Amino acid sequence: MSTIVARSLGWYRVPVVVVAVLASLLLIVPFLVLVATSWTEGSFILFPPQGFSPQWYAEVLTDSRWLESFRLSLWTATVSTAIAAVLGALGALGLTRVRNPVARRWIRTLFILPIALPPIAYAVGLHGVTMDLGFLRGTFVPLILGHALIALPYVFVIVSGGIARIDPALRPAARTLGARWPLILWKIELPALSPYLLSGALFAFVVVFDEVVLAVFLMPPGEQTLPLRMLNASQEAFSPELTAASTLVSVLAVLVLAVIPVSNAVRRRRAGRAAFTRPTERPAALEGVTP
């Protein structure tokens, strides 16, 4: 594939490679500088760092305020991701049942629309709704619902891409065997879409875990998510403690996203082993859909 691409680009591949390398450095170098400044022995963010010490990581990991903010972010992001995963998957599956192409196009647009909304306008609108509904004041419900709506398009788009890869003959074959739509959903669609649902949920989790604009407007008084605490810390004192917390959050995001290729590799290995050991058995997707 690389030879084909190089041949099609011709001599243009040299500037393309140069631009790609420069873009990669633009993304990687700031992160390396951030990590380096978090290991300093000094009390200020300087590059190159003064000495080498993990003291600022110890400060973050032993400070009850940082740990409480981390637990709060983890809890709200998990609940928001679960809501987004359910609604996004149901929306993508339900869209396949819509026969009218115009209605299907409008529904798809509505599901993707939260990505296009400016975060500040979205946050102000939700804040106004919260003020009008007094029973929501001082709770995490507005923040969780807001994060879920932001994360929903990611799940919807990735699951919709997975639906396009399902063999269209499986559903009619299952109906011919007497299976109703709940059994088709449970035995065919959900197993086939589980890798895409996992990928969408992980992307959604990373997005809402790092989101700070909604937290500024919708957090209950006295509570701070981890990104909000980092924002406030940057305004109070720009110390290496902030870069240490930023590094930990970045590492967490990388570890979460690393689950996707690992799970895909495990799934492909299992599928290859099953195809080798059971070459004549009926497809697993149709198991349990007999009349």
Side-chain angles (χ1 to χ4, degrees):
M1 180 62 69
S2 60
T3 304
I4 297 174
V5 173
R7 190 182 302 117
S8 63
L9 289 175
W11 68 271
Y12 290 104
R13 66 179 179 271
V14 176
V16 169
V17 170
V18 172
V19 171
V21 171
L22 292 177
S24 301
L25 291 177
L26 184 64
L27 296 174
I28 296 174
V29 170
F31 176 72
L32 295 179
V33 172
L34 174 73
V35 174
T37 57
S38 65
W39 291 95
T40 182
E41 290 181 348
S43 301
F44 301 97
I45 298 177
L46 297 174
F47 186 84
Q50 300 175 341
F52 181 85
S53 173
Q55 61 176 340
W56 297 109
Y57 289 92
E59 289 284 342
V60 172
L61 296 176
T62 56
D63 192 329
S64 60
R65 297 173 301 173
W66 286 101
L67 293 178
E68 181 61 29
S69 296
F70 173 77
R71 285 192 291 266
L72 182 58
S73 293
L74 187 63
W75 175 71
T76 55
T78 301
V79 176
S80 301
T81 300
I83 297 174
V86 173
L87 296 181
L90 292 179
L93 289 168
L95 193 62
T96 61
R97 272 72 174 178
V98 178
R99 302 302 180 187
N100 190 321
V102 177
R104 189 185 304 116
R105 188 159 48 246
W106 277 103
I107 294 173
R108 183 181 294 110
T109 301
L110 290 176
F111 271 98
I112 302 176
L113 184 62
I115 295 180
L117 291 176
I120 185 66
Y122 188 44
V124 171
L126 285 176
H127 178 72
V129 173
T130 304
M131 292 298 99
D132 292 336
L133 302 177
F135 63 93
L136 294 178
R137 298 177 188 174
T139 68
F140 294 102
V141 174
L143 179 67
I144 291 174
L145 294 181
H147 281 172
L149 289 176
I150 288 179
L152 189 148
Y154 297 92
V155 180
F156 176 80
V157 170
I158 294 177
V159 173
S160 296
I163 291 175
R165 294 175 177 268
I166 296 179
D167 188 350
L170 289 177
R171 283 190 289 263
R175 284 195 294 266
T176 301
L177 294 173
R180 296 174 179 263
W181 72 264
L183 188 57
I184 295 174
L185 176 65
W186 183 253
K187 290 292 186 177
I188 296 178
E189 294 179 323
L190 287 182
L193 294 176
S194 58
Y196 303 95
L197 181 58
L198 175 62
S199 300
L202 291 176
F203 273 110
F205 177 84
V206 171
V207 169
V208 299
F209 187 87
D210 292 336
E211 207 285 325
V212 68
V213 178
L214 290 181
V216 172
F217 287 87
L218 302 177
M219 282 297 297
E223 302 288 350
Q224 290 183 339
T225 60
L226 186 59
L228 183 57
R229 180 168 293 280
M230 293 169 61
L231 176 63
N232 294 333
S234 66
Q235 297 172 347
E236 296 171 359
F238 209 58
S239 71
E241 187 178 29
L242 175 61
T243 59
S246 301
T247 302
L248 292 175
V249 172
S250 301
V251 170
L252 175 63
V254 171
L255 292 177
V256 170
L257 293 179
V259 175
I260 298 176
V262 171
S263 62
N264 289 338
V266 172
R267 180 172 54 87
R268 285 193 297 267
R269 188 180 298 111
R270 289 180 178 177
R273 189 181 301 123
F276 179 76
T277 57
R278 298 183 299 173
T280 59
E281 294 185 7
R282 66 185 303 189
L286 294 178
E287 292 292 338
V289 296
T290 55

